[in-house]
Amino acid sequence: MNVTYHPLGDQAVLIHFKQEVSSEVLAEVQCLKNEIQQAQPDWLYEAVPGYASLTVHYNLTQLLQKEDPYAYVVSFLKEKAAGVKTGGNFKQRTVKIPVCYGGDLGPDLEEVAKHAGVSTDEVIKRHQNADYTVYMLGFAPGFPYIGGLDPTIAAPRKDNPRTAIPAGSVGIAGKQTGVYSIETPGGWQIIGRTPEKLFDLTRDESFLLRAGDRIEFYAITEKEFEEWQT
């Protein structure tokens, strides 16, 4: 596994993998993250995965007895990376997400269909039938960047972003799909909305999704959407 290590401030190490968005790199990132977390060093805050990177945050006060805390952490990370096989596998959860497509909940569905040269029903069908994986969380708490979108329904971001997009909105931006975890401004093409809460501080796990999860979208009616929220 070919990776490089870089300091990120005084309490983090940024690990760069091969700079591409692919299932192979995703597997390497997840496998190394799991190796680090399973070791449970007392100085570890968290390991945060990106598309082709892993940021390891550490507690400097736990390492003050070391001559060079950064070098010590990097040495530990290199040892863990040596045990990760290129093209290795990792355990994935499958999370099913209901979506009410179109109408007021998916105001850009027709625009996406027009851009793709297909019907709105075909956009919905293709959006549901793709093989999706969460590559990373970012932008807002619990917001998933999901790869695997059918390229035939890829669509550019809006020229003029909206000032407020409701939580649960399902959108397309380029070759990605995503779900707004909280209400925020944004420029993704909104094709539907899920009643599921992706970010909820009252749950034991605040984030519904994790990097590495497989996602299955399925269609529900507007009535089902409303009943889900009651």
Side-chain angles (χ1 to χ4, degrees):
M1 186 171 64
N2 185 19
V3 297
T4 57
Y5 303 86
H6 311 272
L8 187 64
D10 61 354
Q11 296 190 76
V13 179
L14 176 62
I15 307 173
H16 274 159
F17 294 72
K18 185 177 181 180
Q19 294 299 288
E20 64 178 32
V21 179
S22 68
S23 58
E24 291 78 12
V25 173
L26 171 68
E28 290 182 355
V29 172
Q30 290 297 316
C31 287
L32 180 54
K33 176 179 74 71
N34 291 341
E35 286 286 328
I36 294 167
Q37 290 178 332
Q38 288 170 12
Q40 295 183 324
D42 56 7
W43 46 261
L44 177 67
Y45 273 135
E46 62 178 336
V48 182
Y51 274 110
S53 67
L54 184 66
T55 302
V56 178
H57 297 270
Y58 58 89
N59 184 347
L60 186 59
T61 62
Q62 295 282 350
L63 296 168
L64 293 179
Q65 75 278 15
K66 305 297 181 183
E67 181 177 349
D68 187 339
Y70 173 78
Y72 175 84
V73 172
V74 170
S75 177
F76 168 88
L77 297 175
K78 287 181 177 179
E79 178 184 337
K80 295 304 173 186
V84 175
K85 296 181 180 179
T86 300
N89 296 317
F90 65 98
K91 188 175 181 179
Q92 287 182 281
R93 302 186 309 167
T94 297
V95 182
K96 297 183 178 182
I97 297 181
V99 182
C100 182
Y101 290 95
D104 293 338
L105 302 179
D108 300 321
L109 178 60
E110 290 189 6
E111 185 174 338
V112 171
K114 183 179 179 180
H115 183 269
V118 298
S119 67
T120 55
D121 286 346
E122 187 63 23
V123 170
I124 294 170
K125 178 182 176 182
R126 296 182 189 184
H127 188 261
Q128 291 178 92
N129 290 342
D131 185 12
Y132 292 115
T133 301
V134 177
Y135 277 84
M136 60 174 282
L137 303 181
F139 167 62
F143 182 102
Y145 287 86
I146 304 171
L149 180 73
D150 185 327
T152 64
I153 58 169
R157 287 175 170 82
K158 302 188 79 64
D159 292 333
N160 297 306
R162 294 182 173 93
T163 58
I165 294 180
S169 294
V170 177
I172 290 174
K175 296 180 180 179
Q176 301 176 108
T177 190
V179 185
Y180 281 74
S181 54
I182 60 175
E183 181 178 299
T184 65
W188 291 44
Q189 304 284 355
I190 305 304
I191 62 172
R193 194 183 305 173
T194 179
E196 284 279 18
K197 290 185 177 181
L198 273 71
F199 177 58
D200 186 349
L201 287 173
T202 66
R203 294 191 302 235
D204 290 339
E205 289 193 31
S206 300
F207 298 161
L208 177 67
L209 302 176
R210 308 170 191 162
D213 285 347
R214 293 187 69 253
I215 304 298
E216 293 181 5
F217 292 108
Y218 66 95
I220 59 174
T221 65
E222 189 171 346
K223 181 180 179 182
E224 289 172 320
F225 178 89
E226 293 171 354
E227 290 174 345
W228 194 292
Q229 296 184 309
T230 59

